């Protein structure tokens, strides 16, 4: 099986719970756009603002080629679920949704079963889904990263099929590398992303699995991005903290475009 999927690399900007006001959010998206639109033919860029900024950010992104996504969704489409946002509500505004981010698993108790239901719900509405997986520091230290990540991938994709492959992305984000400045050793990232590709192949078939993109996430910045996006099984990156600085994020997009342009 070739390690390269047919799609473009994806660079995703997860703003998390930032910025706290709309003016800063609009400044940030305009700054990112000024550079990202120049690479739209080689890199798919998607921005994931907090829910309250989605509509205003979507207006800035019109006809830019840069995509929009939400940081989470619920698994039901409507009903008595106070505080939740359904994929049906997002589908006309967004192209993407992130599910299973480690901060939600950690602070909100999201389980593999919930992540699987969110993944299926997002896909059923026509959204692209970025499903996050990754081991804790204790797993990494104990040498059990492979078992943990395998179990998360298998559980999260439980109801996925080959038909979902082009809209499915798996972000490998070692939890100990998120927001810590301790990015993973590229060799470790490479081996884990290769494992993920193999498991996806076993689940939905090797041909379909080639279309599923795999991202690295965890303290990616302008200085280290090349060491990840040049890895054979890596189809881009999920960027948190560094996506709040337009110039830094733009550099990440530019490096990704250059690396993939040379492949
Ligand atoms: C993330 O939020 O998914 C992430 C990888 O964050 P950071 O880049 O800040 O580590």
């Amino acid at each position: 099986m070739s390690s390269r999927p047919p799609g473009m690399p994806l660079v995703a900007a997860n703003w998390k719970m930032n910025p706290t006001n709309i003016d800063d959010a609009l400044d940030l998206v305009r700054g990112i756009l000024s550079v990202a639109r120049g690479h739209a033919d080689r890199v798919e860029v998607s921005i994931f603002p907090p829910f309250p900024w989605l509509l205003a950010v979507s207006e800035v992104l019109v006809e830019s080629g840069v995509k929009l996504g939400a940081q989470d969704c619920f698994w039901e489409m409507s009903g008595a679920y106070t505080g939740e946002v359904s994929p049906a509500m997002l589908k006309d505004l967004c192209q993407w949704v992130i599910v299973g981010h480690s901060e939600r698993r950690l602070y909100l108790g999201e389980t593999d079963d919930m992540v699987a239901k969110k993944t299926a719900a997002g896909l059923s509405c026509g959204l692209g889904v970025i499903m996050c997986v990754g081991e804790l520091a204790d797993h990494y230290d104990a040498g059990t990263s492979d078992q943990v990540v395998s179990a998360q991938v298998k559980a999260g994709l439980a109801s996925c099929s080959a038909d979902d492959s082009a809209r499915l992305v798996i972000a490998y984000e070692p939890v100990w590398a998120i927001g810590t400045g301790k990015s993973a050793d590229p060799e470790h990232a490479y081996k884990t992303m290769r494992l993920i590709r193999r498991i996806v192949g076993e689940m939905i078939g090797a041909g379909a699995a080639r279309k599923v993109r795999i991202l690295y996430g965890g303290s990616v910045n302008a200085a280290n991005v090349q060491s990840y996006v040049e890895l054979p099984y890596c189809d881009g990156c999920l960027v948190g903290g560094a996506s709040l600085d337009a110039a830094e994020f733009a550099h990440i997009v530019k490096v990704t475009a250059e690396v993939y342009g040379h492949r």
Side-chain angles (χ1 to χ4, degrees):
M1 191 198 312
S2 156
S3 61
R4 305 287 327 129
M8 274 203 271
L10 173 64
V11 177
N14 176 18
W15 289 359
K16 312 193 191 215
M17 203 169 68
N18 302 292
T20 52
N21 70 75
I22 186 62
D23 291 338
D24 288 349
L26 292 176
D27 281 351
L28 181 56
V29 68
R30 288 190 190 108
I32 290 174
L33 203 54
S34 63
V35 175
R37 66 177 356 139
H39 300 286
D41 57 334
R42 284 191 290 168
V43 181
E44 181 173 352
V45 175
S46 190
I47 299 177
F48 295 79
F51 286 120
W53 311 151
L54 281 174
L55 185 57
V57 170
S58 77
E59 286 161 4
V60 177
L61 295 182
V62 170
E63 290 181 6
S64 67
V66 172
K67 311 267 177 65
L68 183 67
Q71 297 174 15
D72 182 41
C73 69
F74 195 57
W75 55 81
E76 297 291 348
M77 296 304 152
S78 65
Y81 303 104
T82 302
E84 294 299 326
V85 175
S86 84
M89 294 166 179
L90 295 171
K91 73 175 171 25
D92 294 330
L93 194 59
C94 298
Q95 294 77 44
W96 287 102
V97 64
I98 294 172
V99 301
H101 192 282
S102 64
E103 286 151 13
R104 298 196 62 83
R105 293 180 190 256
L106 204 58
Y107 303 126
L108 293 151
E110 283 199 5
T111 62
D112 285 340
D113 181 48
M114 292 157 85
V115 174
K117 289 198 279 189
K118 291 180 177 205
T119 301
L123 290 167
S124 77
C125 282
L127 291 164
V129 173
I130 301 181
M131 186 183 87
C132 301
V133 297
E135 79 280 9
L136 301 172
D138 285 353
H139 303 132
Y140 180 71
D141 293 342
T144 57
S145 303
D146 283 4
Q147 289 93 309
V148 171
V149 171
S150 302
Q152 288 175 336
V153 172
K154 284 179 187 161
L157 300 188
S159 22
C160 292
S161 72
D163 294 343
D164 301 317
S165 55
R167 284 184 295 115
L168 187 60
V169 171
I170 299 177
Y172 169 55
E173 302 203 298
V175 179
W176 45 271
I178 296 182
T180 58
K182 282 192 266 168
S183 55
D185 169 24
E187 177 74 9
H188 173 73
Y190 161 74
K191 285 186 176 153
T192 312
M193 290 187 285
R194 185 180 59 183
L195 171 75
I196 292 171
R197 174 90 61 209
R198 185 170 61 71
I199 294 167
V200 176
E202 286 165 8
M203 294 185 75
I204 64 170
R210 285 190 59 236
K211 296 188 205 145
V212 175
R213 286 177 284 179
I214 302 175
L215 312 183
Y216 169 76
S219 296
V220 171
N221 57 36
N224 65 22
V225 61
Q226 179 157 357
S227 64
Y228 298 107
V229 294
E230 69 188 9
L231 296 171
Y233 292 91
C234 184
D235 306 307
C237 47
L238 178 50
V239 185
S243 72
L244 297 173
D245 178 326
E248 174 121 24
F249 185 70
H251 193 84
I252 290 169
V253 172
K254 189 166 161 286
V255 170
T256 305
E258 283 165 6
V259 168
Y260 285 82
H262 287 119
R263 282 181 163 179

